[in-house]
Amino acid sequence: MHVSDRLTDHVPQRWLEPLVKHAEALKFLIVGAITFVVTVVLFFGLKWTILQDKPVTANVLAVLIATIVSYILNREWSFTARGGRRRHHEAALFFAVAGTGLAINQLPLWVSSYMLDLRSPNVSFLTENIADFVSGSIIGTLLATAFRWWAMRKFVFPEPVDVLPDPVALTVYGGRHGDH
C-alpha cells in the first residue's frame, strides 16, 4: 500500500477532491513552507553571528540557499507534471524568476531597516528583530511567493507534460472512491 493510499483513506471525500484539484498549488506551498523555515533559520543564524551589522546581506544569503532547495523540490515534486523546456533553460529561467523574487523579498526589509531606521540603537534589540522578522520573513516572503507562483507557471514550467499518473489522483478517481 502506498503512503498516498494510507493518507487518502483518512481524508474525508469532500476534502479529497479539492486537494487533488489543487495539488500543484499545495505542493508549491509546502515547498514554500520548507524553504521559509530554511530561510528564517539561516537568516537569524547569520544575523546573530557573522553578519550582525548586515541584515540584508544575511537575508540574501539565506534566500539564495533556500532558492537552491526550492528549485530541487519544485522541479522534482511540485511541478512534475509541467515542463516543456530543456533542463538548463528551465534552470536559468527558474533562477531568473527566483532572483526577481529575491529582490521583491528584500524590499520590505530594506524599507524597515534603512528608511524607517528600525535598527539598534534607535530601537531595542527585540523591536529590531520583530521588525526584521515581519518585514523580511513575512511581508517579503508573501510578496515574493505570489510573484514566484505566477512566474513559475507562466515562464519556468509552462506546459503540462506526460508523466505517470499521480497515485493520489488514481485513488480519488479510480480507486476506493469509484470512477468519476
Side-chain angles (χ1 to χ4, degrees):
M1 178 180 251
H2 287 87
V3 172
S4 61
D5 292 335
R6 281 187 254 148
L7 290 173
T8 58
D9 285 343
H10 300 291
V11 176
Q13 179 64 30
R14 68 181 185 275
W15 293 355
L16 197 55
E17 288 181 35
L19 288 173
V20 170
K21 182 180 177 185
H22 301 291
E24 188 176 75
L26 291 171
K27 290 176 183 179
F28 179 79
L29 291 172
I30 290 168
V31 169
I34 291 166
T35 56
F36 175 80
V37 171
V38 169
T39 302
V40 170
V41 168
L42 290 173
F43 170 56
F44 283 102
L46 291 168
K47 183 181 179 298
W48 290 340
T49 59
I50 60 175
L51 295 172
Q52 290 176 344
D53 296 330
K54 299 180 181 192
V56 173
T57 302
N59 204 32
V60 167
L61 289 173
V63 171
L64 283 173
I65 292 167
T67 298
I68 294 167
V69 172
S70 175
Y71 175 69
I72 294 166
L73 292 175
N74 278 309
R75 171 75 216 124
E76 300 301 324
W77 188 51
S78 301
F79 296 111
T80 57
R82 292 178 165 270
R85 302 190 187 285
R86 291 187 171 161
R87 189 63 58 111
H88 69 279
H89 188 222
E90 176 186 274
L93 287 170
F94 182 93
F95 286 101
V97 166
T100 304
L102 175 67
I104 291 168
N105 201 118
Q106 301 314 305
L107 287 174
L109 179 60
W110 185 86
V111 168
S112 171
S113 294
Y114 301 112
M115 289 183 70
L116 301 177
D117 207 19
L118 296 175
R119 310 253 24 101
S120 296
N122 301 324
V123 297
S124 71
F125 176 81
L126 180 63
T127 300
E128 175 185 331
N129 284 285
I130 290 171
D132 286 353
F133 180 75
V134 170
S135 62
S137 299
I138 303 294
I139 297 170
T141 298
L142 288 173
L143 293 172
T145 298
F147 167 76
R148 286 182 186 121
W149 170 249
W150 169 80
M152 292 296 171
R153 293 174 48 90
K154 176 89 172 158
F155 302 113
V156 182
F157 306 110
E159 300 175 26
V161 294
D162 292 329
V163 295
L164 293 175
D166 183 357
V168 174
L170 287 176
T171 302
V172 173
Y173 297 110
R176 81 174 164 98
H177 300 294
D179 295 330
H180 291 283

